[in-house]
Amino acid sequence: KAGVTQTPRYLIKTRGQQVTLSCSPISGHRSVSWYQQTPGQGLQFLFEYFSETQRNKGNFPGRFSGRQFSNSRSEMNVSTLELGDSALYLCASSARVRSDTQYFGPGTRLTVL
Amino acid sequence: AQSVTQPDIHITVSEGASLELRCNYSYGATPYLFWYVQSPGQGLQLLLKYFSGDTLVQGIKGFEAEFKRSQSSFNLRKPSVHWSDAAEYFCAVVGYNNNDMRFGAGTRLTVKP
């Protein structure tokens, strides 16, 4: 089985712009979670989607949003980028929504200038 | 509040020596516990997990971890470290009935030749 894929792998944006990141889960997995990883804050949970519905949300401003499609692929969007949004964004997929093992993609490295 | 603590930010061991990485958690009930490893610029790879049952869990790459309820700990061990084990290691917990994974700050492992 192919693993979790994320595109693009690297992205450079400027402040004020918006960005969309994409995640394709492992085949058959219906839950997709997103995490932000920074040197200062570590790994932080952004949100989780299951069957196109947001099931859980972390403590991030409304500029961070996401969605999931009927094929379980997910996108996250960050609007009005700030310098502090520079991070590695990781996507993870799991088969179920509750307490299941999550498998991570390689991440998208976002740099905001 | 739910939290995960990895007391050691950085550990250096000699190749062939044994390794123990510490993890303590604070949670309302026994959570599900995971260890992940991350190489530079990469996503997270699952080493092992504990859901229930035998408190000594075997993982990939020769790693094992022991769950100790009385100490709220889930320490990772390896009897003989290889140079390729140099990476960052994250302990993580997930509560029952959700996929909101909380991570420790990570322990960076350096392996001396």
Side-chain angles (χ1 to χ4, degrees):
Chain A
K1 259 187 191 177
V4 178
T5 58
Q6 292 187 245
T7 56
R9 291 293 311 278
Y10 302 91
L11 208 46
I12 299 176
K13 293 285 187 178
T14 56
R15 279 181 298 174
Q17 286 187 310
Q18 76 166 22
V19 67
T20 299
L21 312 181
S22 179
C23 171
S24 293
I26 292 171
S27 177
H29 284 191
R30 296 170 64 191
S31 172
V32 173
S33 298
W34 289 89
Y35 296 84
Q36 181 196 64
Q37 185 178 25
T38 60
Q41 299 298 316
L43 279 152
Q44 293 184 285
F45 172 76
L46 279 157
F47 30 65
E48 179 198 11
Y49 286 86
F50 183 84
S51 292
E52 303 178 64
T53 301
Q54 187 180 88
R55 294 285 181 169
N56 210 348
K57 190 176 190 308
N59 189 25
F60 278 81
R63 299 186 297 106
F64 291 82
S65 63
R67 59 177 175 168
Q68 187 180 33
F69 302 94
S70 58
N71 61 359
S72 294
R73 190 177 70 84
S74 176
E75 290 181 347
M76 68 163 280
N77 183 277
V78 188
S79 62
T80 319
L81 284 166
E82 300 177 359
L83 296 179
D85 297 333
S86 294
L88 181 67
Y89 289 89
L90 292 164
C91 163
S93 78
S94 61
R96 300 184 302 268
V97 68
R98 292 186 171 83
S99 311
D100 197 7
T101 302
Q102 295 183 39
Y103 297 91
F104 285 79
T108 294
R109 171 73 63 186
L110 172 64
T111 302
V112 182
L113 303 176
Chain B
Q2 307 160 13
S3 66
V4 183
T5 303
Q6 293 180 246
D8 305 304
I9 295 172
H10 184 205
I11 283 183
T12 300
V13 299
S14 297
E15 191 168 16
S18 63
L19 171 71
E20 181 168 29
L21 303 182
R22 296 181 291 164
C23 173
N24 294 94
Y25 65 90
S26 173
Y27 213 83
T30 299
Y32 299 145
L33 298 155
F34 304 82
W35 275 99
Y36 286 89
V37 62
Q38 185 178 37
S39 297
Q42 301 299 312
L44 302 173
Q45 181 182 21
L46 178 69
L47 286 175
L48 47 78
K49 61 187 178 185
Y50 174 78
F51 280 12
S52 65
D54 192 346
T55 57
L56 186 62
V57 180
Q58 301 298 321
I60 63 170
K61 304 185 179 188
F63 286 94
E64 67 177 27
E66 185 172 12
F67 169 63
K68 292 186 177 179
R69 185 191 305 273
S70 61
Q71 298 177 19
S72 296
S73 69
F74 188 56
N75 294 347
L76 182 71
R77 299 194 294 248
K78 186 169 184 177
S80 177
V81 169
H82 187 262
W83 65 266
S84 60
D85 293 326
E88 187 140 23
Y89 292 79
F90 293 92
C91 179
V93 301
V94 166
Y96 177 74
N97 222 30
N98 71 75
N99 256 347
D100 176 1
M101 186 170 279
R102 305 294 174 97
F103 288 87
T107 298
R108 184 162 62 91
L109 174 65
T110 298
V111 180
K112 291 191 302 186

